[in-house]
Amino acid sequence: MSKIVLVGANHAGTAAVNTILDNYENNEVVVFDRNSNISFLGCGMALWIGEQIKGPEGLFYMTKERIEEKGAKVHLETEIQHIDFEKKVVKAVNKNGEVINETYDKLILATGSLPISPKIKGSNLENVQFVKLYQDAQKAIELLPNKDIKRVAVVGAGYIGVELAEAFQRCGKKVTLIDAAESCLTRYYDSEFRKKMEDNLRNKGIDLQFNQMVSEIKGDTKVEGVLTDKGEYDVDMVVLAIGFRPNTDIAKDSLETFKNGAYKVNLNQQTSKEDVYAIGDCATVYDNSIQDTNYIALATNAVRSGIVAGHNVCGTKLESIGVQGSNGISIYDLKMVSTGMTLEVAKSRGYDAESADWADLQKPEFIEDDNTEVMVKIVYDKATRRILGAQMASSIDISMGIHMFSLAIQEQLTIDKLKLLDIFFLPHFNKPYNYITMAALSAK
């Protein structure tokens, strides 16, 4: 019998505790989380804000009560004050000020990530928002009926920023999307895909302002505008979606960390201390596209890491098979998915990379209804021919295609293996020469 303490109970922590309780008996499991809820699907916040779903209820898939029914003890609204790694004791303080000292045999850190808070003048003004937690989204929604809030600036044009720009526009707000980069979604897509998303956003009236840094949020008590190094924008609300950093302050001086501060873990999710594991956004991953350690904060990675750690703390040896950073976005019905490296990223990492590109109708031309164009781009290494990444875009759900590319990267498949891949044909689904094989055949 082991005593297992988990710190953090969102996606990674929930996956770990369920793995332990569902598969192993006679362990004592204690869970701490500083929030008042667990398992909140933050990726659904924009849907809630944009009124595309009825409410937040479906964004929770686990509760404190259900975990406790399985046999764990759960402390919510409880802050970790200190971890003594030598004596194996976690010190915490709950919302009532009570001190809890919990010993452990195995410790799992699932402390997640924190939004980057830029040191900008005016960032403490009323109507300046982060959107990370359930409470953040709830506050944003409470502000939306305010007739004085007509114009919203979203700072940061990554996935969350783009999704929020759509959400606020759907609520009738005039939206300005600002980013220091030259475009939106720069980490995930090459220029032709980013251009497609930019046109999509502009067509809905969203004002795109790139290549500029926010220097000040203007106002006396409430937001009145945003000042950048290239212009000034009159807005009534500012949403900061600049990015996230690993939440590792509690143990960064005791455990080995990655260059960005994330806990460095092996394929068993172990940290530099044998009985301490780290999972989710606070930990590193093994990235199959670069074949090295990396940091990729995604809910899917968090869940997988929780499963791996859950089995290992109970004595079952299980190694991660690595990740590719597979991801996707759907904005005004434009669906874009990617996995692995973009061509730009691959070249910046020193690969002699090339891409095979193809755009075609999904089905034969004689299928007049429900037939749309699909874009696909396969990034590969010219020397080894190994697939490094892929991107796809369409108005239809093309996500299964990116799953195949994810597996191809994981298994180090070459671009040439895709050229004669057995992809079935039926006019209802695709063309005899499928866009995936056609892209592969175009590889030099």
Side-chain angles (χ1 to χ4, degrees), residues 135-154:
Q135 292 87 344
D136 298 329
Q138 189 176 42
K139 184 179 178 182
I141 286 170
E142 289 172 355
L143 290 172
L144 289 176
N146 187 336
K147 295 180 180 179
D148 293 331
I149 298 178
K150 299 181 176 69
R151 303 157 300 179
V152 178
V154 178

Side-chain angles (χ1 to χ4, degrees), residues 32-51:
F32 292 96
D33 198 290
R34 65 182 182 180
N35 209 337
S36 60
N37 56 70
I38 61 175
S39 79
F40 178 62
L41 288 167
C43 53
M45 281 192 294
L47 295 173
W48 179 24
I49 293 170
E51 300 176 346

Side-chain angles (χ1 to χ4, degrees), residues 10 66 73 105 120 143 189 196 216 308 322 356 397 402:
N10 208 39
R66 286 172 63 189
K73 186 175 183 180
D105 297 311
I120 299 173
L143 290 172
Y189 299 96
K196 198 172 184 69
E216 182 181 348
V308 171
D397 182 357
I402 215 67

Side-chain angles (χ1 to χ4, degrees), residues 4 17 34 44 88 112 119 132 144 170-171 185-187 193 222 231 252 285 299 321 352 385 390 437:
I4 303 164
V17 74
R34 65 182 182 180
K88 294 188 174 183
K119 295 179 180 178
K132 166 74 170 173
L144 289 176
R170 285 180 178 272
C171 294
L185 308 177
T186 51
R187 287 178 53 197
F193 286 81
K222 297 182 179 180
K252 65 181 180 181
V285 295
I321 57 174
D352 184 13
R385 312 291 288 175
T437 51

Side-chain angles (χ1 to χ4, degrees), residues 9 14 17-22 29 31 38-41 57-74 76:
T14 297
V17 74
N18 281 333
T19 298
I20 295 166
L21 297 175
D22 292 346
V29 181
V31 181
I38 61 175
S39 79
F40 178 62
L41 288 167
E57 294 78 17
L59 300 179
F60 296 94
Y61 57 89
M62 185 56 64
T63 64
K64 172 181 185 287
E65 291 72 24
R66 286 172 63 189
I67 291 177
E68 289 184 329
E69 284 173 5
K70 293 184 177 187
K73 186 175 183 180
V74 181
L76 294 184

Side-chain angles (χ1 to χ4, degrees), residues 295-320:
Y295 180 75
I296 305 174
L298 291 169
T300 49
N301 293 347
V303 169
R304 283 189 290 270
S305 67
I307 293 170
V308 171
H311 283 293
N312 279 293
V313 295
C314 294
T316 300
K317 296 299 181 183
L318 179 65
E319 286 192 348
S320 167

Side-chain angles (χ1 to χ4, degrees), residues 91-350:
K91 179 184 177 182
V93 178
N94 66 19
K95 63 179 180 180
N96 299 318
E98 299 167 334
V99 177
I100 302 167
N101 288 300
E102 201 72 66
T103 60
Y104 67 84
D105 297 311
K106 304 285 184 180
L107 175 66
I108 301 178
L109 298 173
T111 48
S113 57
L114 296 171
I116 294 172
S117 180
K119 295 179 180 178
I120 299 173
K121 183 181 178 181
S123 59
N124 60 340
L125 290 172
E126 189 177 337
N127 299 336
V128 175
Q129 278 279 121
F130 288 104
V131 181
K132 166 74 170 173
L133 304 174
Y134 163 77
Q135 292 87 344
D136 298 329
Q138 189 176 42
K139 184 179 178 182
I141 286 170
E142 289 172 355
L143 290 172
L144 289 176
N146 187 336
K147 295 180 180 179
D148 293 331
I149 298 178
K150 299 181 176 69
R151 303 157 300 179
V152 178
V154 178
V155 181
Y159 267 166
I160 293 175
V162 170
E163 289 172 343
L164 290 173
E166 178 196 22
F168 288 117
Q169 190 276 332
R170 285 180 178 272
C171 294
K173 308 300 180 183
K174 176 65 178 175
V175 180
T176 301
L177 182 61
I178 304 170
D179 200 285
E182 63 180 14
S183 183
C184 61
L185 308 177
T186 51
R187 287 178 53 197
Y188 308 102
Y189 299 96
D190 284 308
S191 58
E192 64 270 36
F193 286 81
R194 300 198 303 265
K195 175 67 164 54
K196 198 172 184 69
M197 182 57 76
E198 287 176 26
D199 292 343
N200 184 36
L201 294 168
R202 285 196 181 98
N203 288 340
K204 294 295 183 177
I206 294 174
D207 182 24
L208 304 181
Q209 297 294 337
F210 297 135
N211 281 314
Q212 51 194 292
M213 294 284 293
V214 172
S215 55
E216 182 181 348
I217 301 173
K218 304 192 72 176
D220 293 325
T221 58
K222 297 182 179 180
V223 171
E224 296 176 11
V226 171
L227 185 66
T228 76
D229 56 355
K230 291 188 178 179
E232 186 173 341
Y233 308 96
D234 294 329
V235 296
D236 311 303
M237 180 177 176
V238 173
V239 179
L240 297 173
I242 296 171
F244 300 96
R245 66 173 181 85
N247 180 19
T248 55
D249 292 347
I250 193 67
K252 65 181 180 181
D253 296 328
S254 302
L255 303 176
E256 185 181 355
T257 56
F258 193 52
K259 57 187 177 183
N260 71 335
Y263 299 128
K264 204 166 183 179
V265 297
N266 62 17
L267 294 178
N268 303 120
Q269 300 300 142
Q270 282 176 304
T271 67
S272 51
K273 291 188 179 296
E274 184 179 0
D275 293 326
V276 181
Y277 297 71
I279 57 178
D281 288 4
C282 69
T284 58
V285 295
Y286 184 82
D287 184 346
N288 288 314
S289 66
I290 65 171
Q291 299 184 320
D292 202 354
T293 299
N294 203 353
Y295 180 75
I296 305 174
L298 291 169
T300 49
N301 293 347
V303 169
R304 283 189 290 270
S305 67
I307 293 170
V308 171
H311 283 293
N312 279 293
V313 295
C314 294
T316 300
K317 296 299 181 183
L318 179 65
E319 286 192 348
S320 167
I321 57 174
V323 303
Q324 291 68 249
S326 304
N327 58 87
I329 191 167
S330 178
I331 303 293
Y332 302 117
D333 292 327
L334 171 60
K335 297 168 177 62
M336 295 184 7
V337 291
S338 75
T339 188
M341 288 185 280
T342 66
L343 183 61
E344 294 167 7
V345 168
K347 287 183 175 180
S348 72
R349 285 183 170 273

